[in-house]
């Protein structure tokens, strides 16, 4: 919002529309999004099957969110870098590898958290 611009509920709602469009495009265009969606659905189903504490539900929500957020940011970084240059450069590879590593780390944390929560219940 600009310094002298008045608050506008319509503008705020429009920003939510942009975000929802981004999520929809992400789900349509990125294959990894479908993998994350399937994994999320499995975890939610397991949460209904097994009795979970409030803390366990919160932890699952946090790690699921962490994976989705890192994948969205990774995708944004990849699209920005591809837009800037289509050339293969070591610097670009490094940037993309770092972003991918963040997703991998988030996924590993999520899997470990899920195992800690669900394995004792099986």
């Amino acid at each position: 919002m600009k310094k002298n611009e008045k608050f506008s509920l319509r503008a705020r709602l429009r920003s939510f529309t942009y975000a929802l469009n981004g999520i929809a495009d992400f789900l349509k265009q990125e294959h990894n999004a479908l993998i994350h969606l399937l994994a999320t659905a499995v975890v939610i189903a397991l949460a209904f099957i097994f009795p979970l504490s409030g803390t366990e539900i919160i932890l699952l929500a946090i790690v699921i969110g962490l994976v989705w957020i890192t994948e969205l940011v990774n995708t944004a970084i990849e699209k920005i870098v591809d837009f800037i240059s289509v050339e293969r450069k070591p610097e670009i590879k490094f940037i993309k590898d770092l972003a991918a590593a963040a997703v991998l780390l988030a996924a590993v944390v999520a899997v470990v958290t899920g195992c800690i929560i669900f394995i004792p219940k099986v």
Side-chain angles (χ1 to χ4, degrees):
M1 187 184 308
K2 294 182 175 115
K3 192 171 185 176
N4 294 328
E5 189 176 322
K6 289 187 177 183
F7 177 82
S8 164
L9 185 57
R10 182 171 296 186
R12 299 297 61 85
L13 291 174
R14 198 170 28 246
S15 68
F16 278 103
T17 302
Y18 299 146
L20 292 173
N21 288 341
I23 291 170
D25 290 343
F26 175 69
L27 290 170
K28 288 179 202 168
Q29 297 176 19
E30 296 299 318
H31 298 289
N32 286 344
L34 298 177
I35 295 167
H36 294 308
L37 188 61
L38 177 63
T40 299
V42 168
V43 171
I44 290 170
L46 289 172
F48 280 102
I49 293 169
F50 295 104
L52 299 180
S53 70
T55 302
E56 290 170 328
I57 292 169
I58 290 168
L59 288 171
L60 289 174
I62 289 170
V63 296
I64 288 169
L66 178 67
V67 171
W68 280 99
I69 291 165
T70 54
E71 187 63 60
L72 285 162
V73 171
N74 174 51
T75 301
I77 290 169
E78 287 181 353
K79 299 294 182 189
I80 290 168
V81 171
D82 289 344
F83 180 77
I84 292 169
S85 175
V86 292
E87 292 180 51
R88 291 190 174 260
K89 296 180 180 179
E91 299 85 2
I92 290 174
K93 181 185 181 315
F94 181 69
I95 292 166
K96 286 184 168 188
D97 288 352
L98 283 178
V103 177
L104 178 62
L105 185 58
V108 168
V109 168
V111 168
V112 169
T113 302
C115 289
I116 290 169
I117 290 171
F118 289 114
I119 288 176
K121 297 180 184 321
V122 174

